[in-house]
Amino acid sequence: MKKRDRRITKDQYYLNIAKEVARRSTCLRRHYGAVIVNNDQIVSTGYAGAPRKTANCTEIGACVRIKLKIPRGEHYEWCRAVHAEMNAIIHAARFDMIGAALYLVGVSPVSSAVIKGAEPCKICKRMIINAGIERVIIQTSPGRYRVQEAEDWIRTNLNDFKTVKGRLVPVMPRGY
């Protein structure tokens, strides 16, 4: 009798779906896909792309952040894209996201390789917390992933503040 093929884990299953969702991205810089899952049910999906009914970077053939060589994590206000996590959250009811997991995969549009350092930006982390999502599972390489707990972001105030002499003091962002 032939040995049964081993099934992939549910986490890898949802990450594979997020990677496929990322193929719809219209961002020239990074392709991201997100899948929100609660009680083993897909609640919503989202990919990085321009707001509905507006021109996207693929159609335009240019990205302001690439042209200006903006480092990763800075000046998102110059980006045309609504992030994958944001789109997934926008398309779901909060009730369905409370206690859920968000699966996130970032892919290079040039090489199609999984982006190893992918993670939600600070704005997306804030949205994830407010949506009631408890954890984010991020693909790090084929078959590998890491888990980030929203509770950790809450406990550390998203690293926006540090404690100095018993008081919370804002941490200035890079470039300021």
Side-chain angles (χ1 to χ4, degrees), residues 8-16 103 135 137 145 147:
I8 61 172
T9 66
K10 286 192 178 180
D11 285 335
Q12 193 57 57
Y13 169 72
Y14 294 124
L15 287 166
N16 290 349
Y103 292 84
R135 62 190 176 103
I137 298 90
Y145 57 89
V147 178

Side-chain angles (χ1 to χ4, degrees), residues 23-161:
R23 292 181 58 188
R24 290 281 305 153
S25 292
T26 59
C27 176
L28 297 175
R29 197 170 160 130
R30 300 277 191 268
H31 290 179
Y32 274 84
V35 176
I36 298 173
V37 177
N38 203 354
N39 296 320
D40 247 352
Q41 187 72 38
I42 294 174
V43 172
S44 183
T45 65
Y47 56 86
R52 290 179 191 275
K53 300 180 183 178
T54 67
N56 64 59
C57 294
T58 303
E59 293 168 338
I60 296 167
C63 169
V64 171
R65 293 182 74 226
I66 290 173
K67 281 186 175 184
L68 296 176
K69 297 182 171 97
I70 303 298
R72 181 175 172 247
E74 295 180 20
H75 294 293
Y76 285 116
E77 70 274 15
W78 296 346
C79 180
R80 299 250 340 122
V82 176
H83 292 184
E85 306 95 312
M86 293 175 184
N87 271 321
I89 290 168
I90 289 166
H91 295 103
R94 185 173 189 279
F95 177 81
D96 293 331
M97 293 185 285
I98 295 172
L102 186 144
Y103 292 84
L104 182 67
V105 177
V107 179
S108 165
V110 176
S111 69
S112 296
V114 170
I115 298 168
K116 290 182 171 79
E119 74 170 67
C121 73
K122 283 196 175 197
I123 297 167
C124 287
K125 285 178 180 179
R126 292 176 195 144
M127 291 183 72
I128 289 165
I129 290 167
N130 274 8
I133 295 168
E134 289 185 355
R135 62 190 176 103
V136 178
I137 298 90
I138 304 165
Q139 184 90 49
T140 57
S141 62
R144 303 202 56 150
Y145 57 89
R146 71 180 189 285
V147 178
Q148 292 186 347
E149 300 290 337
E151 186 59 39
D152 292 339
W153 301 336
I154 294 165
R155 192 176 59 256
T156 62
N157 281 300
L158 294 166
N159 295 317
D160 287 339
F161 299 92

